[in-house]
Amino acid sequence: MAVCVAVIGKDNSPLYIGGVGNDTSTDNELSRQWLVHTALDALEERLATTNSNNTATNTNTSRTDLRDLYLGLLYSTDTHKIYGYVTNTRIKLVLVTSSTSPSGSNIRDAEVRTALRRLHALYADAICNPFHLPGEQITSQKFDKQVKNIMLNNV
Amino acid sequence: MATQPSDYTEFPPEIILKPLALVGLSGLDAINNAVHKEIWDAFSNNRRADRTPVRFKLLNNTFEFPVVKPKRNSYEWYIPKGILKKNWIHKRVTLIPAVVVIFYDMDWNDPQWNEKIIECASKVQSIRAAVEGHATRVAVVVIQSRLSPPPSEYMLGAERAQALCAACEIQSKSLFVLPHSDHLMGYIVRLENAFYDIAQNYYHHETKNVKQHRDHLNKTTHQYLFVRHQFKLGYLNELKQDMSTAHKHYMHAYNNLLETRTVDTNIHEVRTVAGYINYKLCKLLFALNLPRDAIAQLKSHVERYKNRIGSTELLFEHYAWIARQYSAFGELFDEAIRAGLPGIQSQHPGFYYQHAAQFTVKRRQAMRSVCNEALQYPPPPDPMDGIVEFYGQRPWRPGRLSADPHDPQKEQAAILALQYNERIFNHSAMIISFLGCAISQFKTFHSPRMRKQLVVEMANEYYYSADYGKALTLLTHMLWDYRREKWWFLASHVLNRALQCAYLSAKIQDYLQLSIEALSKHIQVPNNDKDRIFRNIMSVLNMNIPGPEPDLPAASQGKALELWQFAIEKEPLNIVLDMVNITSFMEVKPKFKQQKYRMDEIIEIEVYVRLTYAAHLEVKKSHLTISSHTEAIEIPIIDNANSFTLEGGKVKRFLCQFKCNPQDSGSDLHIKNVSFILDSDRRRKIIMNFKMDDNKTSESTIHPELLHFIISPKADFEFDCIVPLTVASIISRECKLSFSVSNASPALQGEWFPTQFSITNNEASTIYDMKIVLSLLGSPDNPNPESVTELSFTEGEPQAQPLKLVVANIDPSASYTNQFYLKTNRTATTTIQIKVSYVINLPEISKLECIKDFTTKITVIKPFEVSTNFVSMNFKPITKCFVDDPFVVMPQIKILSPWDLLIVDTDLEVLECFTFSDDAKPPSCISNLEVSEKNIASDAICIQAKFKPKDNPTRVGLYNITWRRKSNLRGHCVMSSTALSGLPIDECPIAVEVNYPEVIEQLTSVPLKCSLIGKSTTPVRLSLSVEGTDAYMFSGYKKIMVTIPPKDKLELCYNIHPLVAGNTTPPRLKATVVGDSSMQEVISEMFDKKFPQNIFVMPKYNK
């Protein structure tokens, strides 16, 4: 279903970018990174508006916590659709589907939501590793394998 | 817009122009006639959006209207040669006015009226003749320069206007009068509206004309005409400012065009016209405030024509056309936003400019694949020569509709010409321009990262067009952001391209900086060949030309080599690199060993350096920059020798030691910079500066506690766990002075309280220039002590605070003693700070200044409390007094001081309404009285009221006590003043004096004289009676009526004879006022007070 999945830290640095594609050449990796990086614009804008709305309506902090972590479709290009998910610790999860492939174009919102939730769980598992440094890139092979599974499972 | 790049796909100006009704003004001589010029300016200048949508054209006498084509009666045999004629719009907007207005100077009461009317009519006729065949309307404006005619001529005006209409054969509503007066602009605006109405009428008429043709058309041969007519209707409605109808007709035109069959020969024409109609549609949709529909229209438009490519030899034309659709739409969108349409992050003009850029890139690709053979322009005759009557038609086969090429050779030559033109077209400039537009839009709509990506694309484009300098500038700026957000893959991509640019433009500074950054572990370089980059750095350092970067365009390499040969020996020789802002192959962590250093300690800084790139790096020189508030010093980093070698992958530790400057005491030292200098003795140096920012270190994301989980070699000094410490404070050295205080605390309020202090030098050597500063310290219960407290070194003389004292030198173990005095009026604890500063010569540091603060607290209490009693002359407490009636004031001094006091003297200062009853002020009863704690000293002073003041006095007077400590024999006396409480004063019209003895003997007659004295100015009549008792006999009037004369006295004499011994009540006089009963109360009180209740009677002994 997905062609690319990215985990981005709260300082907007990439923690993990994984993609399945026909080739893993530099060009492909580059376009994938551009795509995820520019998705941050939409993510940040979305977060900024939710926050300002919350302060504007003068609700307490619990309201912020109640915010749905899944942000839905951030934007779509001619070739890709980009979905976002932000954890409470401001870790951003991005999922990219291809609108050209039949499986990617017909994807339902609920499927993406489930996939991102599972990715969140995997991320939480990965950083529980005491040998992982918070803020560093996730190099765990297990994590990589599991994430690739999520991406492929739904193909 | 001027920012849009131009090529053959650009829309002609008449398509972009906003259609406005054309009004021709005739008969205005704007050059020679001032009035006419003013009128013309009022029409033509300052045409803002809020004015009537009309365009004015000044028609001179030679203006010629286009010739009218003969009306076609049947379309049966007519085959259109194209879709839209190029000159049609032009004619509508500049050549065929909807209205021609003839201006004529004429007053109604003009003397030469008859001649003028004929001239005017002939002018109208000539215009009529000129527009023959067109439905153009004619109107006449009569310019009247005179003031408004008198009422008597109204009739004349109406008549003559009618006459003029008749002469000119115009309707009366087409005749206007323009008085040339103060309110010109108002008249002009009204005329404008009138013209606009006529114009609308005209265009409406025109649309009817066009509609009439429609019935004659058939779909097989006249498909083009369906498009053309609908387009014309749309345009005429636009001129009429009927936007929604215009949109409807354009939409019909667009749909009719879609139905036409497209083949290679007409595809260019069809899509060109489709582009124009689409542009009109989108523009109208934005104007109708339907931006979503506009976007949808563009999307479906591009979707429909995406696959109508046409001839593959001219594939680039197709992409050029798509790019233009997008960029034109971007422009429209941008205009709409400027007119108030809100844009959002996910939908703004930037995307369309970006698409335009992308399709221009595709256009270039197409050009590369199909134009390889087009090496030169075809020989004459030039196929591009030729006049084209219709939009989008080819000059070499104008008006031909058949699908097969008419002349294959000519066709070939034409394609070659197009390909050649495309080949020499500067695609990069166009892409850069589109990207530039997109970048500014993405910036406006909160998409900084998208913007960055586009900037990098723009830089790539500059790179392809060999503008390496510009590319490098853009890339180095973008590199910064990717580095900051740690997108190393993207940063590597940008950096490698930037490095290529730096090499190709031979910019040594940038080249070295980028090369050094390329060696960072985060950066990936092509072929993973970091050794090459390291060698290049060393080459530049050794004044050699570095090796080229991989994948450079072959054409630029030779030029680059030339540039390097020119640049390598020249400036910049000292290359300063700011290493903190880039990620590099060296990491530096300087650290003060302690957070605080005393002045006499040696400051030690540890510098850890890690070289992450596996090489040996020889550092010629290296130093730390330390700054304090006074200066910045450089401390060399030394490892046996000045130069040292860093080994790749290892951490090296350096220790720098230095002494601090005596002036830095109490301030902070900052590590500002760590510099490493690479030098190969060939004039060129690379100075790598690691600037330490105090703020930066605090926000570091290092979690040392977590880093311990990571296995790192011990030889690294656990580099990752080191937290840099770049600030250390210098504190003064520990002071070895001792301080003692002796005083008789608590101090008493108001006294000059002496305190003796002594300072002993416990240092090993003599101290110099000792200075002592005494000051008061405020505290919560004693704020602003200096306002109520005096300090002095001499008793009784206040000195300016803080007290300063210069003591010269003190030898070791000697001491210095002095005494200070404190006087305060506040009963609280006073804190005194004694600041001692001195200079000492130590073995390590000479002339070291030391400072030490001592404080001592002194409690201040009240020496005594004063309370007052008032008693009458017979010592009975009273609550009020009468005028001229003496009484006794008894101040009581309760001693609170723990120290014995000597009351030297007391003194009562009475208010002016009181006076002492004695002739002279009596001496104090308690002078020279020694008192100790809890004693109460009572004084007694007899005073009387002189008169009754308006308000009862709040106090009787001030009671001054002069006192000193008993122990302090020769010291100053202290005078404390207390206000004594007040006593109400009353007036009595009479005074009574009775000479009652205190004690009498039994059975002994005592004469009693009772004087009644009149105080008031009127006589007082009293009825007196004696209230006898059993204990006495008495003689005298028992009951009598008396009149007390004013200011005089009346005496009554009695004898009393006590019968029993002991405490007895004597007979007493009672008075009742006859007449004015208001005085009764005071007089009874007076009598009660004067006549005693008790007299002690001594028993008489019979001897």
Side-chain angles (χ1 to χ4, degrees):
Chain A
M1 128 183 117
V3 291
C4 172
V5 154
V7 180
I8 295 157
K10 61 179 171 198
D11 55 349
N12 289 340
S13 62
L15 300 181
Y16 173 87
I17 295 180
V20 284
N22 302 333
D23 60 325
T24 50
S25 68
T26 321
D27 270 354
N28 200 335
E29 174 73 12
L30 187 66
S31 59
R32 194 181 290 152
Q33 292 227 4
W34 283 127
L35 208 56
V36 175
H37 187 244
T38 45
L40 281 177
D41 283 338
L43 260 173
E44 293 222 307
E45 182 81 2
R46 204 68 76 82
L47 286 178
T49 46
T50 20
N51 280 356
S52 62
N53 283 350
N54 280 353
T55 46
T57 49
N58 196 20
T59 46
N60 46 15
T61 48
S62 65
R63 182 66 174 273
T64 329
D65 300 339
L66 288 175
R67 169 181 64 85
D68 194 2
L69 304 178
Y70 176 61
L71 296 182
L73 180 67
L74 295 177
Y75 72 98
S76 55
T77 67
D78 291 344
T79 49
H80 294 96
K81 282 185 172 160
I82 296 149
Y83 297 86
Y85 184 98
V86 178
T87 72
N88 283 330
T89 50
R90 292 280 159 134
I91 303 294
K92 295 152 190 116
L93 309 179
V94 173
L95 189 144
V96 183
T97 65
S98 162
S99 15
T100 47
S101 78
S103 63
S105 53
N106 298 327
I107 195 157
R108 275 175 302 152
D109 206 46
E111 284 178 66
V112 180
R113 186 190 290 262
T114 333
L116 281 168
R117 281 207 183 130
R118 283 175 57 202
L119 180 64
H120 187 187
L122 288 181
Y123 167 75
D125 288 347
I127 59 159
C128 285
N129 178 356
F131 296 102
H132 172 75
L133 274 180
E136 294 279 297
Q137 300 212 342
I138 299 170
T139 49
S140 156
Q141 289 179 3
K142 189 180 160 202
F143 178 75
D144 187 51
K145 216 171 114 193
Q146 285 172 323
V147 171
K148 295 251 159 86
N149 254 335
I150 293 185
M151 285 194 259
L152 293 169
N153 255 351
N154 297 290
V155 167
Chain B
M1 245 192 321
T3 53
Q4 290 285 308
S6 65
D7 66 347
Y8 56 82
T9 61
E10 203 169 21
F11 289 178
E14 62 265 23
I15 293 284
I16 294 167
L17 190 77
K18 182 178 161 63
L20 295 173
L22 186 68
V23 174
L25 305 183
S26 161
L28 280 180
D29 184 0
I31 301 163
N32 300 322
N33 189 325
V35 173
H36 287 188
K37 178 162 173 40
E38 202 179 332
I39 293 169
W40 168 243
D41 286 346
F43 276 119
S44 59
N45 290 351
N46 206 3
R47 297 216 61 90
R48 288 192 310 263
D50 56 338
R51 289 198 47 187
T52 326
V54 174
R55 178 174 291 115
F56 290 103
K57 189 178 167 89
L58 196 59
L59 305 179
N60 52 20
N61 292 333
T62 57
F63 183 83
E64 279 182 30
F65 293 90
V67 181
V68 183
K69 282 184 295 182
K71 275 273 176 298
R72 195 182 301 279
N73 291 324
S74 157
Y75 280 81
E76 215 165 316
W77 299 105
Y78 175 69
I79 294 173
K81 290 184 176 165
I83 305 173
L84 288 187
K85 281 193 185 158
K86 274 186 167 178
N87 61 355
W88 188 83
I89 294 179
H90 180 67
K91 277 203 270 183
R92 297 294 130 186
V93 295
T94 56
L95 297 179
I96 310 174
V99 191
V100 176
V101 185
I102 297 143
F103 285 81
Y104 193 72
D105 291 286
M106 176 162 66
D107 288 314
W108 293 137
N109 52 2
D110 199 292
Q112 294 162 319
W113 162 251
N114 287 328
E115 288 83 0
K116 285 227 165 185
I117 197 168
I118 290 165
E119 191 191 344
C120 181
S122 77
K123 279 197 171 185
V124 173
Q125 280 314 316
S126 71
I127 291 288
R128 278 247 167 78
V131 300
E132 184 62 49
H134 295 284
T136 300
R137 309 297 156 100
V138 176
V140 174
V141 174
V142 177
I143 306 170
Q144 301 197 327
S145 53
R146 303 237 183 114
L147 296 169
S148 56
S152 62
E153 290 183 17
Y154 278 168
M155 284 308 288
L156 177 74
E159 269 169 34
R160 295 206 156 169
Q162 218 158 26
L164 186 62
C165 285
C168 301
E169 297 171 40
I170 55 171
Q171 289 181 323
S172 60
K173 63 181 179 184
S174 301
L175 176 69
F176 304 92
V177 174
L178 175 62
H180 182 70
S181 63
D182 299 340
H183 308 291
L184 182 65
M185 206 58 217
Y187 288 111
I188 294 289
V189 168
R190 280 161 67 181
L191 279 179
E192 253 176 36
N193 284 322
F195 298 159
Y196 174 57
D197 284 344
I198 301 173
Q200 276 190 318
N201 193 293
Y202 164 78
Y203 289 121
H204 184 68
H205 180 257
E206 286 292 289
T207 55
K208 273 189 188 161
N209 270 352
V210 176
K211 276 182 192 163
Q212 278 172 5
H213 303 320
R214 203 162 46 181
D215 306 335
H216 307 295
L217 307 182
N218 68 64
K219 284 257 172 184
T220 47
T221 46
H222 298 139
Q223 187 63 35
Y224 280 2
L225 288 185
F226 277 105
V227 179
R228 190 191 296 171
H229 288 165
Q230 289 298 340
F231 182 86
K232 283 183 177 178
L233 286 173
Y235 199 85
L236 289 170
N237 273 304
E238 256 195 293
L239 285 166
K240 212 179 129 190
Q241 308 300 325
D242 185 350
M243 297 302 172
S244 47
T245 315
H247 175 254
K248 189 182 82 188
H249 288 295
Y250 282 133
M251 203 68 218
H252 287 317
Y254 186 82
N255 289 332
N256 285 333
L257 188 62
L258 270 181
E259 286 169 21
T260 54
R261 205 167 64 87
T262 51
V263 289
D264 282 3
T265 45
N266 76 344
I267 182 67
H268 190 64
E269 181 177 7
V270 168
R271 72 179 166 218
T272 304
V273 173
Y276 296 165
I277 299 177
N278 177 64
Y279 179 83
K280 280 285 180 196
L281 280 171
C282 293
K283 192 166 183 167
L284 283 176
L285 285 169
F286 277 120
L288 292 167
N289 200 17
L290 297 166
R292 282 169 199 283
D293 293 354
I295 291 165
Q297 166 64 30
L298 176 84
K299 281 201 171 147
S300 63
H301 171 62
V302 172
E303 197 62 36
R304 277 173 192 143
Y305 284 90
K306 204 165 62 179
N307 297 321
R308 300 194 186 187
I309 294 165
S311 153
T312 43
E313 288 158 317
L314 298 174
L315 178 62
F316 52 85
E317 280 193 332
H318 176 63
Y319 288 127
W321 179 83
I322 295 182
R324 179 60 63 186
Q325 304 307 307
Y326 278 120
S327 79
F329 185 79
E331 249 174 76
L332 283 179
F333 200 168
D334 195 21
E335 271 167 31
I337 282 173
R338 253 177 274 159
L341 181 76
I344 51 168
Q345 194 196 34
S346 56
Q347 195 54 261
H348 59 80
F351 289 106
Y352 300 96
Y353 290 127
Q354 192 194 358
H355 282 307
Q358 282 168 351
F359 278 96
T360 310
V361 171
K362 281 195 178 171
R363 171 183 171 181
R364 180 171 57 194
Q365 281 169 356
M367 178 275 286
R368 285 194 180 135
S369 61
V370 299
C371 300
N372 285 331
E373 274 102 60
L375 295 179
Q376 78 187 86
Y377 203 74
D382 187 350
M384 291 300 153
D385 275 352
I387 296 155
V388 184
E389 200 189 344
F390 290 93
Y391 286 124
Q393 286 194 347
R394 304 296 197 180
W396 62 90
R397 46 172 159 79
R400 281 194 58 86
L401 301 176
S402 61
D404 50 297
H406 150 75
D407 180 349
Q409 267 188 346
K410 204 173 182 186
E411 190 76 22
Q412 266 312 301
I415 287 173
L416 188 65
L418 286 177
Q419 285 181 341
Y420 178 78
N421 283 345
E422 183 69 12
R423 212 181 140 86
I424 57 169
F425 184 73
N426 187 355
H427 295 88
S428 287
M430 191 160 188
I431 296 169
I432 286 166
S433 158
F434 283 142
L435 285 173
C437 295
I439 285 166
S440 64
Q441 295 291 338
F442 277 103
K443 191 177 177 188
T444 316
F445 292 98
H446 313 287
S447 302
R449 293 178 185 82
M450 194 66 196
R451 175 179 160 264
K452 270 173 239 160
Q453 186 188 348
L454 294 177
V455 173
V456 172
E457 278 174 23
M458 195 189 221
N460 277 334
E461 216 47 61
Y462 276 121
Y463 175 80
Y464 294 138
S465 56
D467 194 344
Y468 303 116
K470 270 188 189 147
L472 183 61
T473 317
L474 290 177
L475 289 170
T476 42
H477 282 113
M478 292 307 114
L479 187 55
W480 186 282
D481 291 314
Y482 290 117
R483 193 192 292 131
R484 193 170 50 87
E485 287 196 332
K486 297 183 187 152
W487 285 74
W488 298 121
F489 189 86
L490 298 178
S492 305
H493 171 75
V494 172
L495 188 140
N496 288 323
R497 178 49 51 86
L499 194 52
Q500 287 177 326
C501 292
Y503 173 78
L504 288 170
S505 51
K507 289 195 173 161
I508 294 182
Q509 170 88 35
D510 291 306
Y511 182 74
L512 282 178
Q513 174 151 349
L514 291 165
S515 295
I516 281 176
E517 183 159 13
L519 293 180
S520 155
K521 63 180 175 188
H522 296 299
I523 301 294
Q524 300 161 20
V525 298
N527 315 325
N528 229 349
D529 195 4
K530 293 200 177 182
D531 290 340
R532 182 183 57 79
I533 291 170
F534 188 71
R535 280 197 307 276
N536 280 342
I537 296 171
M538 290 303 141
S539 304
V540 176
L541 191 63
N542 286 312
M543 314 287 256
N544 293 328
I545 296 169
E549 297 296 311
D551 306 328
L552 292 179
S556 302
Q557 289 215 24
K559 179 99 189 301
L561 216 54
E562 271 173 45
L563 285 173
W564 274 106
Q565 271 161 359
F566 181 72
I568 192 71
E569 300 271 328
K570 302 238 162 61
E571 289 285 336
L573 291 173
N574 288 343
I575 292 150
V576 181
L577 302 178
D578 191 354
M579 301 290 278
V580 171
N581 294 327
I582 63 173
T583 155
S584 71
F585 62 121
M586 254 172 108
E587 290 170 74
V588 174
K589 287 187 180 178
K591 186 181 172 190
F592 278 106
K593 270 192 143 179
Q594 291 164 239
Q595 283 202 328
K596 285 181 177 175
Y597 288 94
R598 291 205 314 274
M599 283 299 293
D600 50 346
E601 281 178 320
I602 293 205
I603 297 168
E604 288 182 311
I605 298 175
E606 285 174 322
V607 181
Y608 297 90
V609 182
R610 178 157 74 180
L611 189 65
T612 49
Y613 172 64
H616 289 266
L617 185 70
E618 196 173 320
V619 177
K620 254 282 145 54
K621 239 161 78 186
S622 152
H623 60 256
L624 280 167
T625 309
I626 311 281
S627 83
S628 65
H629 69 290
T630 51
E631 57 177 0
I633 48 168
E634 286 189 358
I635 315 275
I637 299 173
I638 298 174
D639 177 47
N640 302 326
N642 253 346
S643 64
F644 50 85
T645 307
L646 295 172
E647 229 174 295
K650 296 268 174 64
V651 176
K652 201 150 182 152
R653 173 180 176 272
F654 301 93
L655 185 67
C656 301
Q657 295 179 316
F658 63 98
K659 281 180 198 164
C660 65
N661 190 320
Q663 289 155 2
D664 291 342
S665 174
S667 66
D668 285 350
L669 290 185
H670 298 260
I671 302 177
K672 282 285 171 196
N673 190 10
V674 186
S675 289
F676 296 91
I677 297 163
L678 304 182
D679 189 356
S680 61
D681 302 326
R682 297 282 306 266
R683 288 196 295 155
R684 178 157 284 137
K685 284 181 192 170
I686 300 176
I687 302 152
M688 297 188 283
N689 283 334
F690 291 84
K691 291 210 171 87
M692 301 293 153
D693 196 348
D694 297 337
N695 309 328
K696 226 172 189 176
T697 49
S698 58
E699 66 177 40
S700 76
T701 48
I702 302 173
H703 309 281
E705 61 282 3
L706 291 166
L707 281 165
H708 286 294
F709 281 109
I710 312 295
I711 305 160
S712 72
K714 282 276 180 248
D716 271 6
F717 304 101
E718 302 199 321
F719 184 83
D720 289 320
C721 307
I722 296 165
V723 180
L725 180 63
T726 59
V727 184
S729 49
I730 304 298
I731 50 175
S732 52
R733 72 182 268 285
E734 203 181 331
C735 180
K736 292 175 185 156
L737 290 186
S738 63
F739 175 77
S740 64
V741 162
S742 76
N743 57 16
S745 182
L748 301 178
Q749 185 184 21
E751 74 172 332
W752 282 99
F753 177 71
T755 300
Q756 199 168 55
F757 64 95
S758 72
I759 294 162
T760 311
N761 178 9
N762 297 333
E763 301 269 8
S765 59
T766 308
I767 60 175
Y768 303 98
D769 286 345
M770 185 165 89
K771 295 189 184 81
I772 298 172
V773 176
L774 274 90
S775 55
L776 293 163
L777 287 185
S779 61
D781 61 330
N782 188 10
N784 300 326
E786 55 283 344
S787 59
V788 290
T789 309
E790 309 270 16
L791 280 179
S792 176
F793 285 118
T794 41
E795 187 175 3
E797 290 170 30
Q799 289 173 347
Q801 293 178 30
L803 298 188
K804 287 180 185 156
L805 194 62
V806 179
V807 185
N809 308 339
I810 302 182
D811 292 331
S813 63
S815 61
Y816 168 81
T817 307
N818 203 339
Q819 177 165 283
F820 68 87
Y821 292 89
L822 171 137
K823 177 187 168 184
T824 180
N825 289 326
R826 190 182 281 166
T827 52
T829 302
T830 307
T831 312
I832 294 146
Q833 187 186 53
I834 297 153
K835 193 175 216 157
V836 183
S837 62
Y838 60 92
V839 175
I840 187 165
N841 285 324
L842 289 179
E844 316 91 77
I845 305 166
S846 61
K847 289 218 166 177
L848 179 65
E849 197 180 308
C850 298
I851 294 173
K852 177 112 182 175
D853 287 346
F854 303 101
T855 54
T856 180
K857 289 190 173 180
I858 295 170
T859 312
V860 181
I861 57 164
K862 278 187 181 176
F864 40 70
E865 258 177 3
V866 178
S867 58
T868 331
N869 290 332
F870 296 101
V871 291
S872 65
M873 293 308 284
N874 48 13
F875 290 93
K876 300 232 169 68
I878 53 169
T879 52
K880 69 175 188 182
C881 65
F882 294 96
V883 173
D884 282 342
D885 184 29
F887 64 98
V888 180
V889 183
M890 289 186 72
Q892 295 193 319
I893 306 165
K894 183 176 180 189
I895 308 298
L896 302 174
S897 152
W899 319 105
D900 287 355
L901 301 180
L902 178 70
I903 297 173
V904 178
D905 196 10
T906 62
D907 169 42
L908 178 70
E909 286 175 36
V910 290
L911 290 183
E912 60 174 337
C913 55
F914 293 100
T915 182
F916 293 100
S917 301
D918 303 304
D919 295 338
K921 195 172 177 178
S924 168
C925 331
I926 50 171
S927 59
N928 279 321
L929 183 71
E930 280 180 16
V931 286
S932 52
E933 196 179 359
K934 291 181 184 165
N935 288 4
I936 296 175
S938 283
D939 200 352
I941 306 112
C942 183
I943 62 170
Q944 65 188 45
K946 280 199 282 191
F947 56 87
K948 182 178 177 178
K950 258 196 207 137
D951 304 310
N952 268 324
T954 52
R955 55 185 198 176
V956 171
L958 272 183
Y959 189 59
N960 300 327
I961 306 164
T962 314
W963 58 277
R964 60 178 164 85
R965 287 196 190 205
K966 190 182 159 191
S967 56
N968 177 12
L969 294 173
R970 50 190 173 74
H972 285 243
C973 292
V974 185
M975 190 165 90
S976 307
S977 294
T978 317
L980 298 182
S981 58
L983 187 68
I985 301 171
D986 214 341
E987 256 179 337
C988 188
I990 54 167
V992 183
E993 280 175 16
V994 193
N995 59 339
Y996 264 113
E998 291 296 313
V999 180
I1000 52 176
E1001 212 171 290
Q1002 198 186 357
L1003 298 173
T1004 313
S1005 284
V1006 179
L1008 265 185
K1009 191 159 84 182
C1010 177
S1011 313
L1012 300 176
I1013 307 150
K1015 290 283 182 185
S1016 63
T1017 49
T1018 49
V1020 181
R1021 197 163 164 76
L1022 294 177
S1023 152
L1024 297 176
S1025 61
V1026 178
E1027 196 179 67
T1029 59
D1030 295 342
Y1032 288 86
M1033 291 191 299
F1034 76 96
S1035 67
Y1037 301 109
K1038 175 139 194 207
K1039 198 162 179 152
I1040 187 172
M1041 291 287 274
V1042 292
T1043 303
I1044 300 153
K1047 303 287 180 206
D1048 206 349
K1049 72 178 174 184
L1050 185 88
E1051 286 189 351
L1052 293 169
C1053 289
Y1054 290 90
N1055 274 320
I1056 57 169
H1057 188 80
L1059 301 175
V1060 293
N1063 226 352
T1064 57
T1065 307
R1068 299 160 52 123
L1069 264 182
K1070 293 270 172 191
T1072 314
V1073 183
V1074 179
D1076 186 6
S1077 61
S1078 66
M1079 289 185 296
Q1080 176 64 51
E1081 201 178 326
V1082 204
I1083 288 173
S1084 307
E1085 216 175 308
M1086 188 70 169
F1087 272 80
D1088 256 5
K1089 184 171 144 237
K1090 286 293 170 181
F1091 289 92
Q1093 295 283 349
N1094 288 305
I1095 290 182
F1096 192 77
V1097 180
M1098 296 284 280
K1100 187 164 184 177
Y1101 299 105
N1102 294 323
K1103 288 169 200 168

